[in-house]
Amino acid sequence: MSALLELKNVSKIYGSLHALDHVSLKVEQGEWLAIMGPSGSGKSTMMNIIGALDKATEGEILLDGVDIAKKTAKALTEIRRDKIGLIFQQFHLVSYLTAVENVMLSQYYHSVPDEKEALEALERVGLKERARHYPSQLSGGEQQRVCVARALINYPEIILADEPTGNLDEANEEIVVELFRKLHEEGTTLVVVTHNPEVAEVAQRTIVLRNGKVERETVNPNFTGKIKHITLQ
Amino acid sequence: MKKRKMYFRMITASLLRRRSRMIIALLAIAIGATILSGLLTIYIDVPRQMRTQFRNYGANMILTPAEERIQPEAVAAALSFISQDEIVGVAPYRYETVRINDRPVLAAATDMQGAKAASPFWRVDGEWPDSDGEIMVGKNVADLYLLRVGSKTTATYMPEEATEDTLDNSSDFTVTGILDTGGKEEDYVYMSFADMQQLTGKDKGYDVCELSVSADAEGLRAYADRITGELSSVNAKLVKRVTQSEDTVLSKLQALVLLVTVVVLMLTMICVATTMTAVVAERRKEIGLRKALGASNSSIIAEFMGEGIVLGAVGGLLGALLGFWFAQTVSVNVFNSSIVLMPWLVPVTLLASVLVTAIACMIPIRSATDVDPALVLKGE
């Protein structure tokens, strides 16, 4: 496997705060990586930098062999549009557009909106019947599934999910993780930031950040992509 | 689906599904456009309205003879130089001294309909004469000779140099009306040209001809110059106190209307800008999301500007229609006459509304492009 994404000594400094401190990381093509860590550990900063939403203070970020660290804001917009699929904890759907229109919004900025294709994407996440519903008419789980459909509609090289199950109940969490598993099976590269160890455990590999540094890295030897809920005694 | 279709779907969905906020902006634009359209209509139509009003104050052009008397043909020639639509009234006069009850009094022969049209401010107690043998007397004459409506009287022509033919030439008349103007007109007796000719035995011809013309000062001056220049038997003069008053009042009124229009447009712009600023602030997360999905700044500008333009167009259309109603109401209540519909004002109002809205949207939209998606889309 070749590295789709590679961070070399990446730092993000806000005044005296090192949100990321010389982080190096490789994500292979088709890999499912989970990023964990406590609040303030640098997870979101890393996500923003990988997602071309923010710029690193120093270091190299190679996406598909191209260093995006020094790109202009306009070039980063093009990279987000063409190569990255984003999923957020707060869903961020446009309230006055239907589910299918929200999916088509991503196509609109990428190339040409195709309603048939958008409906197929919703079908993949089990929401074809809810395609004409507005976000306010959908449950949290359904909204997140619309976000997954929106993220995958343009066949991005990498899907970045920031706390994708953070606002979901257990049942919907399972549905979303199952969708990730399917995407992974189809060869999609996934980077999932999560607080939830159960969600992190289903990934192939997990890195834990602390104080802007990679504290440890674990590879899941029994990777199945299926979630196992821990019952607390 | 074509990109354009999706673009319009997004704009209309945004406007329709976020009605409460957009209605405020739409109302501001519609009210602004109504005032703009209404005041423009008044601005253009007010000179016509005012000139009609000013015509109530009497003649604004006088034709006098270059030699002895003006012949009817010369008046007809003079009138042919003036646009027929602008001629409100033509009142030719011939004056002679006659005797009533053996006392001299000034008699004026005129075309009663013409005099009525040229001097609408004349107040007549009774009726205007409408056949031969009927006269209208000024209030002073009536008081002096104790004449009332319906009185019979005899007028005798008294030429400066009496001859066998003219001496003791008398006619009987019935008084049909008493003229009350508050001016020198109250010293005259008014009769038809036929009665005057019968009484005096003199040929046709006028001493003066008063014209009431609905034109601005410049137009009147041009007409007067042309009449005087091209007709050797007639001199045309303007009644300056009337024409100058008209010009002064009109120019001040138009300046006022223009000022109010500009102020209203500025207020509309401020209201739209404020509303759009609030809209952008409310939609920061949505803007951030669009940018995260790959929207360029020009896409964001196009989307918000599109919403502004649709608002401007709808508000402008509403305003153009309401503006006509507004102008009509003002015109009927102030000038007591209807205005003329000017269809070209609809596209002008529409364009002005779109332009004003677009300008008002510029600053809020500029701030929309400054939204940092990483900041506004942050997790918790």
Side-chain angles (χ1 to χ4, degrees):
Chain A
M1 282 202 290
S2 58
L4 174 68
L5 175 73
E6 187 173 359
L7 275 64
K8 291 182 180 172
N9 279 317
V10 171
S11 294
K12 180 71 182 178
I13 303 164
Y14 299 102
S16 59
L17 174 73
H18 285 64
L20 282 183
D21 193 0
H22 296 96
V23 172
S24 293
L25 175 73
K26 268 188 183 181
V27 181
E28 305 296 336
Q29 183 87 46
E31 191 183 6
W32 182 350
L33 173 76
I35 301 173
M36 287 193 74
S39 293
S41 60
K43 299 191 302 292
S44 292
T45 305
M46 182 182 264
M47 199 68 175
N48 286 340
I49 287 172
I50 297 172
L53 291 166
D54 202 355
K55 282 184 167 185
T57 310
E58 56 186 59
E60 282 179 44
I61 303 144
L62 300 170
L63 180 62
D64 211 8
V66 178
D67 186 5
I68 65 169
K70 303 289 183 289
K71 296 280 185 189
T72 61
K74 193 180 171 196
L76 290 178
T77 300
E78 286 166 8
I79 289 163
R80 284 198 300 274
R81 190 178 63 202
D82 298 337
K83 295 181 184 290
I84 299 165
L86 292 164
I87 298 167
F88 307 96
Q89 181 181 0
Q90 302 289 334
F91 319 138
H92 295 306
L93 293 170
V94 178
S95 62
Y96 53 83
L97 296 180
T98 61
V100 70
E101 285 168 347
N102 266 287
V103 177
M104 286 158 69
L105 187 66
S106 194
Q107 291 178 308
Y108 173 78
Y109 294 121
H110 179 265
S111 49
V112 179
D114 184 335
E115 191 164 3
K116 190 168 162 276
E117 208 176 329
L119 285 169
E120 282 168 9
L122 283 175
E123 194 173 15
R124 283 178 73 186
V125 298
L127 281 178
K128 196 179 180 186
E129 306 306 313
R130 311 280 278 165
R132 308 291 170 193
H133 287 67
Y134 289 98
S136 59
Q137 298 168 315
L138 301 173
S139 70
E142 287 172 329
Q143 287 187 52
Q144 193 59 296
R145 280 146 72 191
V146 175
C147 293
V148 173
R150 183 179 64 191
L152 60 84
I153 188 72
N154 294 325
Y155 305 101
E157 292 184 7
I158 187 165
I159 286 183
L160 304 177
D162 190 1
E163 299 282 2
T165 58
N167 280 345
L168 301 183
D169 59 21
E170 213 167 75
N172 278 303
E173 185 180 278
E174 264 185 59
I175 294 170
V176 170
V177 170
E178 179 61 18
L179 283 171
F180 287 166
R181 191 188 62 77
K182 281 185 189 166
L183 288 173
H184 176 256
E185 271 180 8
E186 290 164 9
T188 308
T189 308
L190 288 165
V191 176
V192 179
V193 168
T194 183
H195 265 107
N196 189 339
E198 292 173 357
V199 174
E201 274 174 13
V202 295
Q204 280 176 306
R205 186 163 62 106
T206 302
I207 61 164
V208 177
L209 291 177
R210 188 176 293 275
N211 298 326
K213 292 183 175 177
V214 177
E215 188 186 54
R216 66 173 187 277
E217 183 178 341
T218 52
V219 176
N220 183 359
N222 306 314
F223 170 72
T224 60
K226 300 218 176 200
I227 197 160
K228 289 171 199 158
H229 288 293
I230 301 158
T231 308
L232 295 173
Q233 296 296 319
Chain B
M1 180 187 283
K2 294 225 167 106
K3 272 193 115 159
R4 197 180 300 162
K5 195 174 169 191
M6 180 72 185
Y7 173 75
F8 285 115
R9 193 189 277 194
M10 287 193 296
I11 286 173
T12 48
S14 168
L15 294 173
L16 293 175
R17 293 212 19 113
R18 302 171 58 258
R19 277 189 291 268
S20 53
R21 175 67 75 187
M22 289 307 174
I23 277 174
I24 296 170
L26 185 64
L27 269 179
I29 298 163
I31 291 169
T34 301
I35 307 285
L36 169 72
S37 161
L39 289 184
L40 265 182
T41 307
I42 292 168
Y43 180 82
I44 293 161
D45 208 50
V46 81
R48 188 182 67 81
Q49 303 273 11
M50 292 299 287
R51 273 185 207 114
T52 308
Q53 296 289 314
F54 280 126
R55 291 304 89 243
N56 289 330
Y57 298 107
N60 51 3
M61 192 190 291
I62 307 283
L63 301 182
T64 54
E67 293 165 5
E68 276 214 359
R69 280 200 167 132
I70 311 169
Q71 294 308 307
E73 297 74 28
V75 172
L79 293 179
S80 70
F81 295 148
I82 302 171
S83 168
Q84 297 304 299
D85 300 341
E86 292 178 346
I87 299 172
V88 178
V90 180
Y93 291 96
R94 196 173 114 198
Y95 303 104
E96 294 290 353
T97 305
V98 298
R99 277 178 174 271
I100 292 177
N101 294 346
D102 280 334
R103 294 172 73 172
V105 62
L106 285 167
T110 187
D111 166 24
M112 296 299 167
Q113 291 307 316
K116 204 172 181 178
S119 304
F121 65 96
W122 284 10
R123 210 168 61 222
V124 176
D125 178 18
E127 300 293 332
W128 285 69
D130 65 355
S131 59
D132 294 343
E134 292 182 345
I135 55 170
M136 176 169 71
V137 297
K139 192 167 173 289
N140 293 341
V141 176
D143 290 344
L144 192 64
Y145 300 110
L146 302 173
L147 295 171
R148 300 287 175 266
V149 173
S151 298
K152 307 274 185 194
T153 189
T154 302
T156 307
Y157 179 54
M158 193 194 75
E160 287 169 14
E161 291 178 11
T163 65
E164 286 295 320
D165 294 335
T166 56
L167 200 61
D168 293 334
N169 193 6
S170 301
S171 295
D172 293 330
F173 292 100
T174 303
V175 177
T176 61
I178 311 292
L179 178 64
D180 181 2
T181 66
K184 61 179 174 47
E185 296 87 355
E186 293 183 3
D187 297 329
Y188 289 76
V189 170
Y190 294 87
M191 61 180 66
S192 68
F193 281 106
D195 284 339
M196 177 70 87
Q197 198 172 353
Q198 194 185 345
L199 188 63
T200 62
K202 288 188 179 174
D203 286 343
K204 292 176 185 173
Y206 313 133
D207 291 310
V208 68
C209 184
E210 293 182 1
L211 304 183
S212 178
V213 181
S214 179
D216 58 21
E218 206 173 310
L220 280 172
R221 214 165 290 123
Y223 287 143
D225 290 347
R226 192 172 170 206
I227 291 167
T228 307
E230 295 192 20
L231 300 176
S232 56
S233 59
V234 176
N235 291 323
K237 290 173 187 167
L238 300 185
V239 182
K240 283 190 178 164
R241 64 186 158 81
V242 176
T243 53
Q244 280 178 351
S245 304
E246 277 185 33
D247 260 17
T248 310
V249 172
L250 279 178
S251 58
K252 283 187 178 169
L253 199 62
Q254 284 189 307
L256 181 70
V257 168
L258 204 63
L259 182 71
V260 172
T261 308
V262 170
V263 169
V264 167
L265 281 181
M266 287 181 73
L267 288 176
T268 305
M269 217 182 279
I270 291 167
C271 189
V272 174
T274 310
T275 310
M276 287 307 280
T277 303
V279 166
V280 167
E282 272 176 9
R283 292 168 67 183
R284 284 175 67 80
K285 282 201 170 173
E286 182 197 321
I287 297 163
L289 169 75
R290 287 175 184 273
K291 289 182 110 173
L293 293 178
S296 60
N297 282 346
S298 56
S299 291
I300 301 286
I301 290 169
E303 284 152 28
F304 277 87
M305 196 52 99
E307 288 183 21
I309 286 171
V310 170
L311 277 178
V314 175
L317 194 63
L318 273 175
L321 301 176
L322 289 173
F324 179 70
W325 166 81
F326 169 71
Q328 187 73 277
T329 307
V330 170
S331 184
V332 166
N333 286 294
V334 177
F335 300 108
N336 206 24
S337 72
S338 299
I339 55 152
V340 180
L341 175 66
M342 287 173 273
W344 60 267
L345 260 181
V346 176
V348 166
T349 309
L350 208 70
L351 274 176
S353 296
V354 168
L355 197 68
V356 164
T357 314
I359 293 169
C361 287
M362 274 177 183
I363 295 171
I365 291 175
R366 182 83 192 92
S367 74
T369 60
D370 292 337
V371 168
D372 181 350
L375 282 177
V376 296
L377 298 177
K378 251 183 183 173
E380 302 305 319

